[in-house]
Amino acid sequence: MCGIVGYIGTKEKKSVILGGLKELEYRGYDSAGLAVMTDNCGCGSDIAYFKAVGKLENLEKKTANFTSKGFGVAIGHTRWATHGKPTEINAHPHFGEYSFVTHNGIIENYKELKEYLEKQGVKFISQTDTEVVVHMFEYLNRSEKDPFIAFEKTIAKLVGSFAILIITKAAPDKIFFAKNAVPLIVGKSDEDEIIFSSSDAPLIGLAKEAIYLEDGMYGVAQMGEVKIYQQKKLITCTPQLLPADKSYAQKEGYRFFMEKEIYEQSQVASETLMGRIKYNKINLEEINSQIFDDIDEIVLCACGTSYHAALAASYLFERIAKIRAKVETASEFRYRDPVLNKNSLFVVISQSGETADTLEALKIAKNAGLKTLAICNVDNSSIVRLAGNVLLTRAGIEKGVASTKAFATQVLTLWMVVLYIAQIRKTIDEETLHSEIKALLHIPQVLNIPDGLHEKIHRMSKHYLHGHGFFFIGRDIFYPLALEGALKLKEISYLHAEGYASGEMKHGPIALVDEGLFTVALLPQNVLYEKTKSNVEEIAARDGYVLTLSPLEFELSDDFIKTSKQNHAMSEFFEMMVALQLLALEISIRLGNDVDMPRNLAKSVTVE
Ligand code: M6R
């Protein structure tokens, strides 16, 4: 996810901005940039800017001979590409004739705004959604002749998520800022300097307190003063004490990155959906819709958690898009001389985009002349570069080795592809399509963790520290979710856990059931409730210890997590997913394990 920093004061601006961006490195990025406004020569303000692709060291090298003395304002940015490749031109800050902008988030209606501005003669140079902000600001300032009003009007035109900072020669001592659905914090030092950032880490050491801006807030800052507005009214916000520990701040108060990433899922799911649903239709502009012409099969190929996302999606491809779907483990696919059908669309799913087995499988499919699509979280990764078409999952950097938010966004993206095909091929009627889209848009809400759930799971987790293993069971899409729940638990707790299709229990696994075996049963209301329930009863009858996740009370459970009544199976899927992630997390913490860096595992498996 992008990072944003701003500064008003008399310290050396470049160093402050680079220092702040360093603190935001943990968010992940593929290019960086900064702009500094100074009055070095005493003959009026001037803005110097620098951009570099790759690590911050590259930006440091580019700015090595640049310093700024005295008072000035500056903004900086680390970019995680969403619209347009990670190039210098697409890196922030973006500029107009006399102003510079940095932005986190996605401007959903940038195409409409860009078209309008182009008709007014404005020239764009980047492929980003952000550039529209600075041009709109300057365009409006031409008539308004008041940069604050021009900024206010610009913000009012934006649809989407944004944390925005603008500096402009039209108001050389100020930073204009706005926040909606993306974090933005502002602090004031004892020397009246003003510091903006996406998270509190860059502020620590410079300011003691900060204001955590809320959605819809915007304003203007100058030395010693921050004016915050909401709905055109000047408001007063109470600053909060900043944490003293930077690594704690990077985790934004959570104990582990995995925990933070579980809590981020609602927000990143909104980013995944953003701009991809318009007027009640799925709108995947990033891919060529012709890739679905003449396709009679989808082959989904991945490893680990990404494989589970693929498996879950395979049910949806067949049920909703009425297209045959096959799921391949990439490491097996590579060496089994697969017979490939030219009418297959080969879809690889990967968080990192660097998994060796998945990459090699993609090469095989490409060489065989198949159309290819990558569902990936990291732009410019090897898989993204190789695939014919790409959909980025937009989960932001995932630091915890145990994948959580990447999985959620993979399933969400695949579900959108399913609906896109269904829409093109009319395999479902309009009414069903609309209710599917409604359900899709509801997922960010489902991913909000309800009050008390985490605490309940924390308390419950002490029941699961002994015994001889775990079964996770479910049917239909809840079978891949059971596999994922078991994988999460084994990765970070080192306890033995297996996922099974509930109906398979009596074909062998049930022989292991006794009072020392824990079964985590996924019992959704919307999918084969009675059938799964009778499988769980069979386990309870053999004295197995059962934890049930269900919206309906189940008296035979030893432990019970009551999920909400949802009218769509996918809502139940995502709600149970969060509970399984928290269960794995809490058991691992109780066992004293390093949640973020479990033994024997690497975040990116670039060897086979
Ligand atoms: O980056 P990828 O999605 O291609 O990675 C695939 C697996 O290595 C990965 O999902 C792994 O299973 C995770 N550690 C699961 O939490």
Side-chain angles (χ1 to χ4, degrees), residues 301-540:
C301 185
C303 299
T305 286
S306 301
Y307 172 82
H308 298 152
L311 194 57
S314 69
Y315 288 79
L316 306 180
F317 276 110
E318 300 210 336
R319 184 167 295 141
I320 302 173
K322 305 287 178 228
I323 187 160
R324 191 168 59 235
K326 206 156 92 182
V327 192
E328 300 275 0
T329 304
S331 55
E332 284 298 306
F333 176 84
R334 284 177 71 176
Y335 297 111
R336 69 170 181 76
D337 299 328
V339 176
L340 296 172
N341 161 14
K342 286 257 188 277
N343 292 340
S344 302
L345 173 66
F346 195 81
V347 184
V348 286
I349 300 111
S350 174
Q351 187 286 129
S352 61
E354 301 297 346
T355 301
D357 285 324
T358 313
L359 181 61
E360 288 309 313
L362 176 61
K363 283 183 193 160
I364 293 170
K366 264 204 106 171
N367 292 341
L370 267 61
K371 292 177 182 171
T372 57
L373 167 66
I375 309 281
C376 191
N377 195 34
V378 182
D379 199 4
N380 218 29
S381 57
S382 305
I383 285 176
V384 165
R385 290 199 306 270
L386 189 67
N389 289 270
V390 176
L391 280 172
L392 293 175
T393 49
R394 305 179 183 160
I397 191 170
E398 190 178 62
K399 284 202 118 183
V401 166
S403 185
T404 52
K405 61 177 181 168
F407 175 71
T409 56
Q410 286 168 344
V411 176
L412 213 50
T413 308
L414 284 160
W415 183 13
M416 274 192 282
V417 175
V418 168
L419 294 178
Y420 191 53
I421 299 178
Q423 184 177 289
I424 296 171
R425 297 191 170 188
K426 303 198 184 334
T427 55
I428 49 175
D429 57 35
E430 285 284 302
E431 201 186 321
T432 316
L433 179 65
H434 292 168
S435 71
E436 285 288 312
I437 289 177
K438 201 168 157 207
L440 197 58
L441 291 168
H442 181 53
I443 300 305
Q445 215 172 308
V446 172
L447 290 169
N448 278 321
I449 299 176
D451 284 350
L453 177 71
H454 196 158
E455 175 58 20
K456 180 182 168 92
I457 292 175
H458 163 70
R459 291 172 63 79
M460 199 183 269
S461 62
K462 61 178 172 289
H463 302 163
Y464 299 99
L465 310 178
H466 62 287
H468 60 81
F470 288 77
F471 281 171
F472 284 69
I473 61 167
R475 279 178 181 259
D476 202 276
I477 50 171
F478 294 86
Y479 162 50
L481 185 59
L483 292 174
E484 176 58 11
L487 179 66
K488 277 306 71 92
L489 184 67
K490 69 184 128 193
E491 279 189 293
I492 59 174
S493 72
Y494 320 140
L495 297 172
H496 184 227
E498 295 303 331
Y500 284 108
S502 310
E504 274 296 293
M505 295 306 291
K506 56 170 88 68
H507 298 288
I510 203 164
L512 287 177
V513 172
D514 60 17
E515 69 285 357
L517 184 101
F518 301 116
T519 297
V520 180
L522 307 182
L523 201 46
Q525 188 176 12
N526 289 291
V527 180
L528 299 168
Y529 177 79
E530 289 301 334
K531 298 231 174 279
T532 317
K533 189 174 164 219
S534 66
N535 300 136
V536 187
E537 281 163 355
E538 284 154 15
I539 291 170

Side-chain angles (χ1 to χ4, degrees), residues 18-309:
L18 284 173
L21 293 179
K22 267 227 137 5
E23 298 294 345
L24 296 179
E25 269 193 310
Y26 73 95
R27 298 166 70 87
Y29 64 102
D30 36 44
S31 57
L34 58 85
V36 180
M37 176 137 48
T38 53
D39 187 10
N40 280 345
C41 56
C43 54
S45 51
D46 199 13
I47 304 182
Y49 73 96
F50 304 87
K51 302 181 186 197
V53 173
K55 292 283 147 203
L56 275 177
E57 286 88 84
N58 300 342
L59 186 62
E60 275 166 354
K61 277 186 205 142
K62 280 204 158 179
T63 54
N65 298 324
F66 172 81
T67 52
S68 56
K69 289 196 203 101
F71 171 80
V73 302
I75 53 177
H77 191 267
T78 45
R79 174 171 186 256
W80 174 279
T82 53
H83 289 74
K85 295 274 160 215
T87 58
E88 270 192 29
I89 285 185
N90 288 337
H92 299 214
H94 290 284
F95 48 87
E97 286 169 23
Y98 55 88
S99 319
F100 284 70
V101 65
T102 55
H103 158 232
N104 293 354
I106 296 173
I107 309 294
E108 279 188 65
N109 61 337
Y110 81 100
K111 283 205 173 138
E112 287 98 292
L113 299 178
K114 185 171 174 179
E115 263 167 40
Y116 174 80
L117 288 168
E118 277 174 337
K119 280 192 195 132
Q120 314 306 312
V122 175
K123 296 264 177 295
F124 283 77
I125 57 168
S126 78
Q127 300 162 299
T128 65
D129 51 337
T130 303
E131 195 184 348
V132 81
V133 180
V134 70
H135 290 307
M136 184 58 79
F137 168 74
E138 291 191 351
Y139 172 74
L140 292 171
N141 195 38
R142 247 187 265 163
S143 47
E144 297 299 337
K145 302 202 175 9
D146 179 327
F148 178 70
I149 294 177
F151 180 71
E152 193 172 50
K153 290 197 166 175
T154 302
I155 297 307
K157 287 185 186 297
L158 306 180
V159 176
S161 60
F162 46 82
I164 286 172
L165 299 180
I166 285 189
I167 59 173
T168 173
K169 288 190 201 175
D173 56 343
K174 297 185 172 63
I175 293 183
F176 297 96
F177 61 91
K179 185 249 188 254
N180 193 44
V182 176
L184 185 61
I185 298 164
V186 56
K188 186 165 76 155
S189 75
D190 290 345
E191 288 82 46
D192 275 350
E193 298 151 294
I194 305 294
I195 313 106
F196 287 93
S197 171
S198 305
S199 81
D200 36 24
L203 274 72
I204 295 170
L206 287 170
K208 293 190 189 87
E209 294 182 330
I211 294 168
Y212 293 75
L213 296 168
E214 284 175 20
D215 290 348
M217 291 183 177
Y218 62 95
V220 56
Q222 61 187 46
M223 192 82 170
E225 183 185 50
V226 181
K227 282 186 178 164
I228 302 173
Y229 295 79
Q230 211 168 20
Q231 291 175 336
K232 297 196 168 198
K233 286 208 176 73
L234 189 62
I235 56 165
T236 312
C237 299
T238 319
Q240 291 175 36
L241 213 55
L242 283 164
D245 172 358
K246 282 196 193 222
S247 79
Y248 180 79
Q250 285 192 339
K251 290 183 196 135
E252 289 167 12
Y254 295 102
R255 295 163 292 176
F256 293 96
F257 281 109
M258 181 189 175
E259 185 178 26
K260 170 173 165 280
E261 287 156 9
I262 293 171
Y263 276 83
E264 272 171 8
Q265 291 181 111
S266 169
Q267 194 209 315
V268 296
S270 303
E271 304 228 353
T272 306
L273 298 175
M274 209 163 277
R276 288 168 169 168
I277 297 168
K278 277 192 185 151
Y279 313 114
N280 248 333
K281 288 267 184 283
I282 306 289
N283 176 48
L284 301 178
E285 283 169 4
E286 307 104 300
I287 54 178
N288 178 352
S289 63
Q290 286 168 355
I291 60 167
F292 302 114
D293 292 353
D294 308 321
I295 289 298
D296 58 22
E297 182 189 51
I298 305 276
V299 180
L300 299 140
C301 185
C303 299
T305 286
S306 301
Y307 172 82
H308 298 152

Side-chain angles (χ1 to χ4, degrees), residues 556-571:
L556 296 179
S557 297
D558 296 285
D559 276 329
F560 186 68
I561 297 176
K562 192 169 172 57
T563 51
S564 359
K565 293 218 180 221
Q566 303 278 3
N567 53 16
H568 199 287
M570 291 304 284
S571 296

